[in-house]
Amino acid sequence: MEYLVNREKMKEIDRRTIQEVGIPSLVLMERAAFSVVLALEKRYGRQQRVLCVCGTGNNGADGVAVARILHERGQRSAIYIPVESEHSTEEWKRQIEIAQYLGIPVLRENLNWREYTVLVDALFGIGLSREVRGNYQKVIKEMNDSKVPILAVDIPSGICSTTGKVLGDAVKADLTVTFGVKKVGLVYFPGAFYAGEVLVENPGFPKEVIDRCKTGIYTYTREDLKELPKRAKDGNKGTFGKVAVIAGTKDMAGAAYFSAMAAYRMGAGLVRICTCEENRIILQTKIPEAVLSTYTEDTVKEKVKEAMEWADVIAAGPGLGQSEMAKEMVKCVLDYAWEYVKKPIVLDADGLNLFAKMEYPCEKLAENVIFTPHLGEFSRLSNCSIAEIKENLEQKVRDYTEKYPVCLVCKDARTVVMSYNKGDEKECGMYLNSSGCNGMGTGGSGDVLTGVIAGMLAMGLTGQKAAEMGVYFHGLVGEMAAAKVGEHALCASDILDGIVQVWKEIESGRFLIP
């Protein structure tokens, strides 16, 4: 698990380290700059012509120190300061004095970007909160247009470290070396796009200080895959979990298929599909492993209850349609979850659209219910526009989980997972997913995720953990499938196949090798 910080928390870490612990700012700066130099040399080699483009704050001071260390290591380096320095920090003034004493070129005009083979972006750090304008904006555009590789110091200049938004204009880096803790703005888009590859280096912030300043926002790395339950050597189809998939109205058999097959691929011992009679032939052909339970209008409630009583885990909603019968099915599923609280439920797609039309009692929902909306569905659930949600995703998710005590999986390029904990003084943790690729924006991908999360629940993971791990696993699957077929060609069937490949990597141990 990797915790993330916003602008305020990172500033607090910096302040506490300097003022309370007593580690001088220049010591942190020296170590930070040295980590940038090592990353630069590893990525681009030793024989480079490096231009450090520096502002006049402490991020700029980092950049000046980088130029000086490169110079001392025998590399050609220069410093470019595109603005006057009346408002510079004390650290910046000290770094410039040292650089000038050592004879490192300090440029202010008449610049030819293509004289250099690497640019170091040290214009703005994490403190930027207003839009970039004037000469700074001009310099950023020139850097991007130069086509010279760019390494960003801490965060690409122009990116908000809390939201990942572009503040007017931003540097498009190939590599970002960030300090202490990864910033939220380097995970959210478009910040993640502008950051390129991100390396986290700690120049000396004590672990105790970092732990004290956590935001409660975290993401996963492949190391977290070690937490997945091991498959029992003496297990059988009854002990590996039974999943009921309630999905697929007429002409929507694909939704039921993708969810059910994903649950099987995740290791569920038995999967039962409860669907309309018209889907019988295609599902028996596509997934003969599944137990099939079909209903007519007269038998729908009976069949749904029968499937839920049989199952350990229930996944409902994909391809159900918007009929009154489907609405009654969703209500039946939620009522059952309330009555039998030990059976978790994943509600997706049409199930969520139908729920949005209900006046369902909040007190009859619990954390064993997982909602998995994309932004359009979340817009209907929360009665907010997609633009409003995108403007402040974290707060909208928090607001919804305060009102409805469910585990919410809000799907986007960066999926957020949260269950609101109403216990006194307990941290309300929010998972921000960093796996996946744009090829996963394809029909059926969400149905696969429903089955993946249901499969995680069948393993015995709790609701929040199953949702987080399911989202992360699903993203890895998409990455692996895209590596095989390409992002443009990726479809839900490829994602299903990718589940097999990811499990093979995990079971072999290769995924856990750095």
Side-chain angles (χ1 to χ4, degrees):
M1 183 183 292
E2 182 179 28
Y3 275 90
L4 308 172
V5 294
N6 55 25
R7 179 194 305 119
E8 289 71 24
K9 288 296 184 181
M10 192 62 230
K11 283 187 172 183
E12 186 181 349
I13 290 170
D14 195 57
R15 180 188 62 77
R16 285 179 180 271
T17 299
I18 295 167
Q19 296 180 7
E20 296 178 13
V21 179
I23 300 175
S25 176
L26 284 170
V27 171
L28 295 171
M29 191 169 287
E30 193 74 8
R31 293 179 64 175
F34 191 70
S35 69
V36 171
V37 169
L38 292 181
L40 187 152
E41 291 179 346
K42 183 177 181 180
R43 178 70 172 261
Y44 304 109
R46 292 291 300 269
Q47 304 302 315
Q48 301 299 323
R49 300 184 304 279
V50 182
L51 179 67
C52 295
V53 185
C54 303
T56 57
N58 279 1
N59 187 256
D62 289 336
V64 174
V66 167
R68 188 238 312 154
I69 294 170
L70 286 168
H71 174 80
E72 290 297 296
R73 289 167 69 86
Q75 297 226 49
R76 291 176 59 186
S77 65
I79 299 162
Y80 175 45
I81 304 167
V83 294
E84 295 301 322
S85 53
E86 296 98 359
H87 303 295
S88 56
T89 64
E90 290 303 313
E91 290 88 346
W92 185 89
K93 292 174 184 176
R94 183 69 182 128
Q95 293 288 1
I96 281 290
E97 286 175 3
I98 297 170
Q100 289 177 326
Y101 179 83
L102 294 173
I104 300 169
V106 179
L107 312 174
R108 292 184 180 271
E109 56 187 8
N110 300 325
L111 191 69
N112 181 357
W113 297 99
R114 301 203 178 187
E115 287 183 12
Y116 303 94
T117 57
V118 179
L119 304 180
V120 173
D121 163 35
L123 283 172
F124 302 112
I126 63 168
L128 184 68
S129 58
R130 63 184 185 279
E131 292 207 343
V132 178
R133 290 285 181 256
N135 197 45
Y136 278 123
Q137 187 176 31
K138 175 176 175 287
V139 169
I140 287 173
K141 286 182 176 178
E142 288 175 354
M143 291 173 71
N144 290 338
D145 290 345
S146 73
K147 307 302 181 185
V148 178
I150 301 174
L151 185 158
V153 176
D154 211 11
I155 193 165
S157 294
I159 294 296
C160 175
S161 57
T162 295
T163 66
K165 293 177 182 175
V166 175
L167 299 173
D169 227 324
V171 169
K172 176 63 179 73
D174 304 282
L175 175 66
T176 297
V177 180
T178 196
F179 305 132
V181 188
K182 187 179 288 187
K183 284 69 184 175
V184 179
L186 295 172
V187 179
Y188 279 128
F189 284 104
F193 170 74
Y194 280 83
E197 181 187 353
V198 177
L199 298 179
V200 181
E201 299 290 347
N202 190 344
F205 299 114
K207 182 178 183 300
E208 293 79 4
V209 173
I210 292 173
D211 288 344
R212 217 182 310 169
C213 299
K214 286 177 180 176
T215 60
I217 302 174
Y218 52 93
T219 190
Y220 283 167
T221 66
R222 291 187 177 185
E223 191 72 14
D224 293 290
L225 295 171
K226 290 179 180 178
E227 295 183 27
L228 289 174
K230 297 291 187 291
R231 198 166 171 86
K233 297 291 185 184
D234 60 346
N236 57 63
K237 64 184 180 184
T239 61
F240 290 135
K242 295 181 288 185
V243 177
V245 175
I246 302 168
T249 191
K250 183 181 178 182
D251 298 327
M252 292 293 287
Y257 164 72
F258 286 122
S259 295
M261 183 53 83
Y264 259 136
R265 291 295 195 198
M266 291 303 294
L270 287 167
V271 177
R272 182 172 185 162
I273 305 175
C274 185
T275 190
C276 66
E277 175 62 29
E278 289 86 346
N279 290 335
R280 176 185 293 277
I281 294 175
I282 189 169
L283 288 174
Q284 283 182 330
T285 303
K286 288 285 291 180
I287 183 168
E289 300 92 340
V291 180
L292 197 62
S293 177
T294 63
Y295 57 77
T296 62
E297 195 167 345
D298 294 332
T299 62
V300 60
K301 282 190 177 181
E302 172 192 340
K303 293 292 186 178
V304 167
K305 286 183 178 179
E306 183 182 290
M308 291 190 293
E309 288 172 2
W310 170 87
D312 301 312
V313 176
I314 300 152
L320 278 185
Q322 297 292 298
S323 67
E324 280 300 314
M325 182 176 72
K327 187 175 180 180
E328 284 302 310
M329 290 170 68
V330 170
K331 184 176 182 304
C332 180
V333 168
L334 292 173
D335 287 345
Y336 185 87
W338 171 250
E339 186 177 354
Y340 298 94
V341 291
K342 291 184 180 179
K343 290 190 177 182
I345 288 178
V346 185
L347 193 66
D348 185 35
D350 284 330
L352 296 170
N353 291 327
L354 290 163
F355 179 83
K357 299 175 183 178
M358 298 179 187
E359 293 183 3
Y360 197 81
C362 299
E363 62 273 12
K364 290 184 71 173
L365 293 170
E367 288 179 12
N368 67 312
V369 178
I370 301 172
F371 282 8
T372 58
H374 57 55
L375 289 188
E377 291 155 353
F378 187 48
S379 173
R380 290 184 278 278
L381 287 169
S382 62
N383 199 29
C384 295
S385 69
I386 292 176
E388 289 175 310
I389 294 167
K390 280 182 169 290
E391 185 64 26
N392 198 342
L393 177 62
E394 289 178 22
Q395 192 57 50
K396 294 300 182 186
V397 168
R398 290 184 191 277
D399 290 346
Y400 192 82
T401 53
E402 284 186 37
K403 183 177 179 181
Y404 294 98
V406 298
C407 176
L408 183 68
V409 178
C410 189
K411 299 181 293 192
D412 196 18
R414 286 293 186 244
T415 295
V416 169
V417 181
M418 184 175 185
S419 296
Y420 191 79
N421 191 334
K422 295 184 183 297
D424 292 338
E425 297 182 1
K426 289 185 179 178
E427 188 178 74
C428 302
M430 176 179 285
Y431 172 74
L432 177 58
N433 190 54
S434 56
S435 65
C437 65
N438 59 32
M440 298 178 76
T442 184
S445 178
D447 303 326
V448 173
L449 176 61
T450 298
V452 168
I453 295 174
M456 291 285 183
L457 291 164
M459 291 180 199
L461 295 181
T462 61
Q464 173 89 9
K465 193 70 176 180
E468 294 171 354
M469 193 62 79
V471 168
Y472 180 65
F473 189 100
H474 182 250
L476 291 179
V477 167
E479 290 175 15
M480 183 160 283
K484 186 175 181 180
V485 303
E487 291 180 342
H488 284 82
L490 191 67
C491 62
S493 297
D494 301 313
I495 300 174
L496 277 179
D497 293 340
I499 295 176
V500 178
Q501 295 303 311
V502 169
W503 275 125
K504 287 173 68 176
E505 293 290 311
I506 291 172
E507 290 167 4
S508 70
R510 287 192 296 269
F511 246 8
L512 304 181
I513 298 172

